[in-house]
Amino acid sequence: MAISFEIPEFVQQMAQMAGFMAQTYMRPYARQLDENEHERPKAFVEAMWPILRDQQKATLEKLTAPPANGGDKGGEPKKKRPGTRNLQLMLMIEQLAWGDAGVYLCLPSAGLGGFAIEAVGTTEQKLRLLTRFAEGDQPVWGAMAITEPGAGSDNSSIATTAVFDEEHNQWVINGEKIFITSGKLALEESNGLVIVWATVNKAAGRAGIKPFVVEAGTPGVSIGKVEIKHGIRASDTVSIVFNDARIPADNILGSPEVQASSEDKGFKGAMATFDASRPIVAASALGVGRAALEFVKEKLAENGVEIPYTLPYHKLTAVQRDVLEMEAQWKAAYLLTLRSIAMLDEGLHNSLEASMAKVKAAKACAWIAQKAVEMLGMMGYSREWLVEKWMRDSKIAEIYEGTNQINTLIVARRVLDYSRRELA
Amino acid sequence: MVSFTPTEEQQLLLDTIRRYAVNDVRAAAHEADESGQIPPELTRTGWQIGLVPSAIPEELGGFGEMSALTGVLAAEELAFGDLAVALQVLSPALLAYPVSLYGTAEQRENLLPAFLEEQFIPATAALLEPGISFDPFDLQTVAAADNGKICLNGSKAYVPLAEDARMMLVYARNAESGDVDAYIVEKGAAGVQIEKREQLMGLRALPTYRVHFVNVEIEAAARLGGAVGSDFNVLLNRSQVALAALAVGVARAAFEYARDYAKQRVQFGKPIAQNQSIAFMLAEMAIEIDSARLLAWEAAWKLDRGEDATREAYLAKQYADKMVLQVADNGVQILGGYGFIREYPVERWLRNGRGFPTFTGMAIV
């Protein structure tokens, strides 16, 4: 390998395509969907479903195709060349979040649930559970339920239980999950599914926590609160209550070895999905940050303020300094995100880099959006423009997929080579 | 294809520089800073790693591998050892690289072979000017045509190795065009007045000088690139990127030292690194160092592709300037009282790191 920042042509084209979708199906509706909080982004969902459905279909076909046709089934596993799958996703999400960070979360797809199924599911489970995201005219959503009222960053203290009922060969789930993105879309508004992290043995701590698949239409599952939020208002955020919810025995996710493991392999599976999802949260932050930065530069240019890249610091105005700092911060965040994504595509372990990217991108872009509001004065604060919305939207990236504090803790443990016990 | 892995050749080079930086440079850096002298042996060993010769074109006997990306990788590693030593070992590049890039055939043949020798050949460049409002695009040093020759007038500051340098590349405003051009001035040219060594907060081991040019007459052929000239934008970008990478090296030195110290310093019955207040500082330092490094890499990568990297180089330098100061300052802070003691290297890294916004033109890749 050699150090390179070259985005392959076809990936650039794909990103441009996503940019077109953002401009056409997101921006024009952004204000309306923010004001009417629980209205669904119909135009966006209808436009994206056929694309995402066919992508999922192609992924599943690869699972069953013999290796001669580029599939994974049978034979010796071939040595994998670095792909671009995560790079494509990163750039697509960056573009879509530029369009609208709340609407992007309504992407009709397996979503974070899909990440978990990909990370720990068996081939049989992948085919059985993901096929619904690969067929039909009606959009389908997947979701992930980890957080509970008493278990936020400390998700090892999950209290939702799963008890095996041998007589009926079913798992019985009880408890409450909160802050589930697209939970209502997955369970009530489509034939989707939610990955629910529950404990089979509270005394075992993290080792007792396993992922379960709860499908739409399961009796005993109900949507509780529909959250009213600071930003990303177009996104569906709900709580789910499980009251003796019964699911099939083989809806515990993963190989029998993982399922039966007395070590925390299942839990580590959940953590592994963060290595893929945190860079994506970083990418979404970058999209919002770029929206704010581009807008500020556009308005400044209209007012005759140009941004130079050759003047010494003492010759810059305060406004120019601010914009240059915003640009440098954005670029740093972009490059950290790109690195964590490239490592994922190369099959390298990226936990440290994923958390670094998430912390940096979330912080930098929230700051950029806040700065943009400030710089545009009364118009920045006005709901006439989208800048104030971007500021509200940007904040969530510092909170979900692990707060910036928890991700900083992860970075700290890694750089200090400390265990969870040594650095709590 | 996007990748963040250096080539095998680059990795081998980095391993070599790392050994030099950790074993040789670190061992001598404190004494060099206190005495103001870099041992000639240390400079020679660094020179013999062969960074500058490898960038000289093949037809002149070099390896023809001038790469800004390899340059930034090497610069970080060298500065991880010590910034003053890094700037000294790399100072011949201040003349050799611009000549490699823009020199006429004659200039290249005359000047470059000297840098292929095993002995360190002191050479330098003069860009910075005295005063509090330096702007590289608004130089006060002027080159005027004079009877078929060129006459240089003006003052320069922070010129490394000016006293010993066999050749100096002097940046000046071309009185006719108004553009910045570079001029090759040989040692001992009449009218070149070198003041006594400058006394700085940091870089105490590196000899730097103020140099005055009083009606210095040079041949027209001494203009870099002859009639065609050179592209100052590109040279400045290459300098900004080099300095950004050097800043990353200094910051990484402070970070690693503070990290190791925090793990072994016990207070209240446990290492101070086990306090989130310290651990989070270190995490932030690591994130900021990586940020600046990637900005420098991207700018260097663009330079190697021959693309305009003005924006990237500018932002990388601006970012690295702030980053190194913050990281080195945190390093001192984590060491507490010991951070303030000169026996520990971190205060030296803070003094050296503070200078980056000032060091315009003092290194190049």
Side-chain angles (χ1 to χ4, degrees), chain A residues 1-6 309 311 314-316 325 327 331 335-336 339 356 360 415-416 422 424, chain B residues 1-5 7 133-135 259 263 274 276 284 288 290-291 294 298 311 314 319 322:
Chain A
M1 298 301 281
I3 294 167
S4 171
F5 297 85
E6 184 160 31
Y309 299 101
L311 283 184
H314 66 269
K315 286 194 176 172
L316 297 169
E325 180 64 18
E327 283 193 36
K331 219 169 199 320
L335 292 171
L336 285 175
R339 178 177 66 170
M356 281 183 156
K360 181 69 185 180
V415 300
L416 284 159
E422 288 168 306
Chain B
M1 185 64 78
V2 178
S3 173
F4 293 80
T5 314
T7 63
S133 59
F134 174 69
D135 179 347
R259 177 197 63 193
K263 285 187 76 169
Q274 288 187 2
Q276 286 190 350
E284 288 288 335
E288 290 306 302
D290 281 10
S291 294
L294 296 182
E298 193 206 20
R311 176 171 176 261
Y314 185 88
Y319 197 100
K322 292 178 188 166

Side-chain angles (χ1 to χ4, degrees), chain A residues 45-218:
Chain A
V45 169
E46 279 172 6
M48 292 306 291
W49 170 247
I51 299 169
L52 297 176
R53 177 194 64 198
D54 294 350
Q55 276 178 6
Q56 182 73 73
K57 195 170 169 215
T59 312
L60 289 180
E61 277 168 358
K62 270 185 90 178
L63 270 184
T64 50
N69 298 336
D72 299 332
K73 193 178 169 68
E76 287 290 304
K78 53 179 182 175
K79 197 162 183 289
K80 280 193 178 162
R81 277 183 304 146
T84 56
R85 203 173 145 217
N86 292 290
L87 178 63
Q88 291 182 46
L89 190 62
M90 169 191 162
L91 298 180
M92 181 180 92
I93 298 301
E94 195 273 342
Q95 291 282 350
L96 295 181
W98 176 91
D100 189 300
V103 174
Y104 121 73
L105 289 164
C106 299
L107 273 175
S109 73
L112 287 175
F115 274 121
I117 294 170
E118 293 277 350
V120 284
T122 62
T123 303
E124 183 276 325
Q125 286 174 327
K126 285 180 195 171
L127 290 170
R128 176 163 56 87
L129 298 168
L130 294 175
T131 297
R132 74 195 68 199
F133 300 102
E135 60 185 25
D137 296 330
Q138 294 303 311
V140 185
W141 284 267
M144 174 96 121
I146 301 182
T147 305
E148 297 180 1
S153 295
D154 177 15
N155 44 33
S156 63
S157 64
I158 278 170
T160 297
T161 58
V163 177
F164 193 61
D165 173 356
E166 283 189 20
E167 192 187 330
H168 297 96
N169 199 32
Q170 286 172 326
W171 289 97
V172 185
I173 297 180
N174 277 289
E176 187 192 5
K177 292 289 181 183
I178 60 167
F179 297 159
I180 299 144
T181 300
S182 299
K184 195 161 187 278
L185 288 166
L187 294 181
E188 282 192 354
E189 296 176 31
S190 77
N191 180 33
L193 53 81
V194 177
I195 307 299
V196 179
W197 295 84
T199 176
V200 294
N201 177 8
K202 195 90 176 71
R206 296 158 73 96
I209 297 170
K210 312 282 177 189
F212 297 87
V213 183
V214 175
E215 295 167 87
T218 303

Side-chain angles (χ1 to χ4, degrees), chain B residues 17-216:
Chain B
I17 303 175
R18 172 80 59 96
R19 279 193 296 274
Y20 169 68
V22 172
N23 300 335
D24 303 315
V25 178
R26 281 287 175 89
H30 175 69
E31 182 52 31
D33 187 66
E34 293 289 326
S35 67
Q37 306 289 336
I38 297 171
E41 182 58 32
L42 187 65
T43 306
R44 195 155 48 241
T45 312
W47 175 253
Q48 282 165 359
I49 292 170
L51 289 170
V52 176
S54 69
I56 287 172
E58 271 176 289
E59 65 268 23
L60 294 170
F63 292 100
E65 284 166 5
M66 188 157 171
S67 152
L69 202 41
T70 305
V72 298
L73 294 169
E76 176 185 333
E77 260 350 283
L78 276 176
F80 179 74
D82 183 75
L83 183 62
V85 174
L87 290 175
Q88 168 138 318
V89 168
L90 292 173
S91 70
L94 289 170
L95 186 123
Y97 290 3
V99 171
S100 269
L101 284 167
Y102 296 112
T104 60
E106 200 189 339
Q107 286 168 344
R108 288 150 61 115
E109 280 161 28
N110 285 345
L111 300 173
L112 295 179
F115 298 106
L116 296 170
E117 289 171 26
E118 283 219 346
Q119 287 300 313
F120 175 76
I121 304 292
T124 192
L127 174 64
L128 204 69
E129 296 179 344
I132 59 167
S133 59
F134 174 69
D135 179 347
F137 288 95
D138 185 20
L139 296 180
Q140 304 305 306
T141 302
V142 178
D146 181 19
N147 272 337
K149 297 201 170 187
I150 295 166
C151 186
L152 286 175
N153 273 293
S155 293
K156 295 289 180 181
Y158 286 50
V159 184
L161 313 188
E163 179 88 17
D164 294 332
R166 284 202 204 167
M167 299 161 267
M168 184 188 293
L169 195 64
V170 180
Y171 291 91
R173 181 159 47 86
N174 183 321
E176 276 171 85
S177 67
D179 295 337
V180 177
D181 279 324
Y183 301 88
I184 299 149
V185 177
E186 306 268 346
K187 187 178 174 73
V192 178
Q193 299 166 5
I194 301 174
E195 277 190 30
K196 69 174 168 36
R197 210 173 136 170
E198 286 168 317
Q199 305 287 309
L200 308 180
M201 174 167 81
L203 295 186
R204 295 172 68 133
L206 180 75
T208 68
Y209 302 85
R210 247 179 231 201
V211 183
H212 305 286
F213 300 86
V214 183
N215 294 323
V216 175

Side-chain angles (χ1 to χ4, degrees), chain A residues 194-273:
Chain A
V194 177
I195 307 299
V196 179
W197 295 84
T199 176
V200 294
N201 177 8
K202 195 90 176 71
R206 296 158 73 96
I209 297 170
K210 312 282 177 189
F212 297 87
V213 183
V214 175
E215 295 167 87
T218 303
V221 179
S222 57
I223 299 297
K225 197 173 170 201
V226 178
E227 301 291 348
I228 301 169
K229 303 191 298 296
H230 175 69
I232 56 163
R233 292 184 183 172
S235 173
D236 164 42
T237 312
V238 297
S239 70
I240 304 179
V241 181
F242 302 91
N243 191 359
D244 282 336
R246 290 176 165 270
I247 60 168
D250 50 6
N251 269 24
I252 180 170
L253 208 53
S255 63
E257 185 214 350
V258 172
Q259 294 168 13
S261 169
S262 57
E263 293 160 36
D264 53 358
K265 277 188 180 164
F267 191 83
K268 280 191 174 140
M271 295 303 116
T273 65

